[in-house]
DNA sequence: ACTGGATCCTGACTGC
DNA sequence: TGCAGTCAGGATCCAG
């Protein structure tokens, strides 16, 4: 479900309705997510005001009035949205944050690849956050940076682009789309891509992520934002999920291959 | 030091 | 209608 644009869309929706509210009570119905929900998280956040909701890569961070931060990751199938507190529970509704305005922030995650962790104030930065690369929409992510970190990398450019330590939050959909837009074959060893083409790639990653955020993210299967609204960026996919269909530029059929156990879609003619 | 592959889990879909 | 097999937006871990 969620790549960076979907997480950012979720963040904005949540921030509009939850910042300034207090968490009256946290309810955990199933602790076995990717890692167990932190023991004592409920007590730690009870009564705390949510001062801000930030995003780092695909992690959402709820700033709990100086006590610490609640980290939420949506994994592959997670969804976080705002419901009336008495909204009936569905099968995979694992966590609720009951707010002082009568609403609840609810986490539903069928596959349970997501995470909910409590990061107390003053603790050393969590490992999950300390090894993340620059945010793609900041100036730290530029051609010179990408050039530097890829010089000794023989792995395919697409796999490297999807590594969180290289750049934060670029997942499978947007890696495919950005490489198409930049005209780069996803199988090219990263070190073989020169500075000008990396510059093009950086620009396209940024442009595509920005447009996807504007469009409210991409809705495949069942993704909806924090108020239940579907995104519509999927309508503009040029290669993702278009195997065999004509390339929108040259008409050649879009090809599907596997890289790192993930689907890669690309145009053999337009991406060299 | 890198690389590819396996892995966690459930649900949707396809083909027989 | 049922059943087996495949695949999915993520990201860590491990052997080689």
């Amino acid at each position: 479900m969620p790549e960076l644009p979907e997480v950012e869309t979720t963040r904005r929706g949540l921030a509009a309705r939850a910042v300034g509210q207090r968490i009256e009570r946290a309810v955990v119905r199933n602790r076995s997510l990717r890692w167990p929900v932190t023991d004592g998280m409920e007590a730690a956040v009870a009564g705390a005001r949510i001062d801000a909701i930030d995003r780092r890569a695909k992690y959402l961070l709820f700033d709990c009035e100086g006590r610490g931060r609640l980290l939420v990751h949506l994994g592959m199938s997670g969804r976080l949205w705002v419901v009336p507190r008495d909204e009936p529970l569905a099968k995979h509704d694992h966590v609720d944050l009951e707010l002082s305005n009568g609403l609840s922030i609810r986490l539903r995650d069928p596959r349970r690849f997501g995470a909910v962790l409590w990061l107390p104030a003053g603790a050393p930065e969590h490992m999950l956050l300390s090894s993340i690369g620059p945010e793609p929409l900041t100036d730290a992510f530029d051609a010179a940076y990408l050039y530097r970190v890829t010089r000794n990398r023989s792995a395919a450019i697409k796999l490297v682009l999807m590594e969180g330590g290289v750049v934060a939050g670029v997942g499978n959909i947007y890696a495919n789309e950005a490489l198409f837009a930049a005209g780069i074959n996803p199988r090219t060893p990263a070190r073989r891509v020169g500075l000008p083409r990396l510059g093009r790639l950086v620009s396209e990653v940024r442009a595509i992520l920005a447009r996807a955020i504007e469009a409210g993210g991409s809705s495949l299967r069942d993704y909806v934002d924090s108020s239940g609204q579907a995104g519509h960026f999927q309508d503009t996919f040029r290669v993702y999920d278009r195997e065999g269909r004509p390339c929108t530029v040259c008409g050649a059929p879009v090809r599907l291959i596997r890289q790192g156990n993930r689907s890669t879609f690309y145009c053999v003619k337009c991406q060299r």
Side-chain angles (χ1 to χ4, degrees):
Chain A
M1 175 193 306
E3 293 192 33
L4 188 152
E6 293 73 43
V7 177
E8 177 61 20
T9 299
T10 298
R11 186 195 71 76
R12 292 179 184 186
L14 291 176
R17 273 165 296 173
V19 168
Q21 299 297 316
R22 286 186 188 279
I23 300 173
E24 289 188 348
R25 191 166 75 115
V27 180
V28 181
R29 299 178 197 85
N30 186 350
R31 305 196 91 81
S32 55
L33 302 183
R34 170 146 203 191
W35 302 285
V37 174
T38 309
D39 263 343
M41 178 279 279
E42 295 95 319
V45 302
R49 188 183 59 227
I50 299 174
D51 284 336
I53 304 176
D54 300 312
R55 178 189 59 73
R56 179 76 173 101
K58 296 167 194 157
Y59 298 100
L60 288 168
L61 296 161
F62 293 74
D63 188 351
C64 293
E65 208 178 354
R67 302 180 191 182
R69 294 179 297 171
L70 189 66
L71 175 153
V72 178
H73 193 280
L74 301 177
M76 295 271 267
S77 59
R79 163 180 163 185
L80 195 59
W81 79 123
V82 178
V83 295
R85 188 179 294 185
D86 57 0
E87 178 82 5
L89 291 168
K91 190 171 177 185
H92 301 290
D93 291 344
H94 305 310
V95 178
D96 270 14
L97 301 176
E98 297 180 353
L99 305 177
S100 42
N101 59 3
L103 302 173
S104 280
I105 297 174
R106 179 164 291 180
L107 175 70
R108 178 178 301 171
D109 185 4
R111 292 175 72 182
R112 289 188 278 118
F113 287 0
V116 176
L117 299 173
W118 173 246
L119 313 180
E125 186 171 47
H126 197 281
M127 282 287 292
L128 288 173
L129 299 177
S130 58
S131 55
I132 299 174
E135 285 292 323
L137 296 173
T138 65
D139 291 344
F141 180 59
D142 63 13
Y145 164 79
L146 194 55
Y147 184 81
R148 179 162 53 78
V149 300
T150 51
R151 283 318 84 188
N152 61 345
R153 300 296 307 272
S154 60
I157 183 66
K158 188 211 178 203
L159 296 174
V160 173
L161 188 60
M162 287 179 64
E163 286 178 21
V166 170
V167 58
V170 178
N172 198 32
I173 293 175
Y174 300 103
N176 277 296
E177 293 297 314
L179 285 162
F180 173 81
I184 299 171
N185 187 315
R187 296 188 295 188
T188 309
R191 67 199 307 173
R192 303 282 301 278
V193 184
L195 185 60
R197 308 185 81 209
L198 290 176
R200 177 89 187 277
L201 182 57
V202 164
S203 303
E204 296 295 353
V205 165
R206 302 182 133 171
I208 285 167
L209 291 176
R211 278 193 275 124
I213 291 168
E214 257 179 69
S218 302
S219 292
L220 302 185
R221 298 173 184 78
D222 57 359
Y223 169 78
V224 289
D225 70 14
S226 63
S227 57
Q229 199 72 26
H232 54 272
F233 191 71
Q234 68 278 8
D235 301 339
T236 73
F237 288 167
R238 312 287 293 279
V239 286
Y240 185 82
D241 209 17
R242 285 177 49 85
E243 184 199 5
R245 296 173 62 193
C247 169
T248 55
V249 173
C250 76
V254 171
R255 181 171 293 183
L256 168 63
I257 60 172
R258 306 287 297 176
Q259 287 183 293
N261 268 335
R262 313 293 296 276
S263 293
T264 294
F265 301 87
Y266 72 109
C267 174
V268 186
K269 285 181 71 178
C270 296
Q271 296 175 256
R272 299 289 182 173

